[in-house]
Amino acid sequence: MSITAIKGMNDILPSNVETWQFLEQKAREVFGTYGFSEIRTPVVEKTELFCRSIGETTDIVEKEMYTFDDKSDNSLTLRPEGTAPVMRSFIQNRLHTLDPVSKLYYMGPMFRYERPQKGRYRQFHQIGAEVLGVEDPKIDAQVLSMLHHFSCAIGLESVSLQINSLGCPECRPDYRKALIAYLEARLPSLCSECQRRYTTNPLRVLDCKASGCREATTDAPSVLDHLCSGCNDHFGQVKAHLQALAIPYAVNARMVRGLDYYVRTTFELVTDQLGSQNAVAAGGRYDGLVESLGGPAIPGIGFAIGLERLVLMKGEGQVQAARPDLFLAALGDEATAQAFVLMSKLQRNGVKAEMDYLGKSLKAQMRRANKLNARFTLILGEDELRTGNAELKDMDQSNQIPISLDGLEQELLSRL
Ligand code: HAM
């Protein structure tokens, strides 16, 4: 039996890769405009990094990590997300000593042992961005503005931005207490998972999809009613800045995130086009994270976009594959040999040239030129070699341009 890929881990085939490259390229362009630089971290980290940052009682740490011991019995984990590794690198490389504000972005595979379905995979790809060193709500609005800019730049439709504030270590405990008391009175209506976690991670109950939990929490206390004055003021300013920047948003006080490091601003870019996997991108503030990982007390905020979800929404293969500039059709051995040299020379000079390698007839070669949607074709036979002249066929205009073989490159470059 032939070997297949691991469940939930997909190939990105050449027919789709252009869409991926388009999205990655746009992210680089847009993020660059906002002063972000790329950072690349390993795909494997010490397990402890994720337990300490994402939180021991989260779904990710409790059941979704690819964790294994290496040959020296170190517990390692395939990164389930990008923020914790970037923080680890930020601290380890003392990036704060280079600049009081770090704006970093990353893209690459992440791994979570989730039940695969449309938009949810075990290896998936994120494009993420993180800003370290700024507490000012202007940066929250700036990060959201960049996400909005990116989604416009790639032509993403039917998405909306939801924001919330989850408070801080000063006010969250009060909210937690109020929520636990509320849930306690409704325990029998909750699903077994929420009955188990309502004391360890009560906020997650608000996010549970089970109908019983949804009904039981309709009138649950709102986190926004429990914010301390500092958090309330911060959230008010974030909203005011978003309004000033004309970024559309809705406040969703029930939005909780699946990672424990968040404080204050949290957000999701959601769509109704992907069924239950409705978050295309998500993020928030994590002011205590760097310190909790042994670094200085430096605030941070960021987001990650799920690339597979973007590709699903954009439609795979919708970005047109780059077409060849020229297809060289050759007749006979001598012409094939010359066409090969000519093609290689053109390629070195930046012309996207193609030819046949399978010894096909002229008719079959022209069919292939059509299939590849070549911009120009050129037939090279004995006559052309003898006279040094040929006809360049413009496939878009359906006309022939007489050219000398010596002037082919010039002619092509002037017409492309
Ligand atoms: P997250 O909400 O866990 O946040 O993931 C961010 C995005 O990654 C999701 O909105 C979704 O588009 C995509 N995603 C997550 N899991 C899967 C999956 N199994 N299959 C496909 N796509 C998936 C984080 O990861 C945070 N590190 C975001 C962040 C950055 N917060 C601050 N900075």
Side-chain angles (χ1 to χ4, degrees), residues 60 80-84 106 112 114 119-126 128-130 257-259 261-262 268-269 277 279-286 301-309:
I60 297 181
E81 58 109 47
T83 309
Y106 51 89
R112 294 184 195 174
E114 294 196 78
R120 188 165 73 191
Y121 310 100
R122 290 183 173 171
Q123 174 176 304
F124 60 98
H125 297 75
Q126 286 185 341
E130 316 287 352
R257 303 275 302 116
L259 305 96
Y261 48 60
Y262 292 114
E268 287 186 354
L269 195 63
Q277 304 311 311
V280 181
R285 205 165 247 294
Y286 44 83
I301 179 167
F303 62 79
I305 306 163
L307 259 170
E308 279 79 1
R309 293 184 190 179

Side-chain angles (χ1 to χ4, degrees), residues 156-176:
L156 204 60
E157 283 156 13
S158 344
V159 285
S160 56
L161 176 66
Q162 299 193 344
I163 63 168
N164 194 16
S165 173
L166 291 182
C168 68
E170 200 184 304
C171 51
R172 179 104 51 90
D174 272 353
Y175 175 61
R176 218 173 160 268

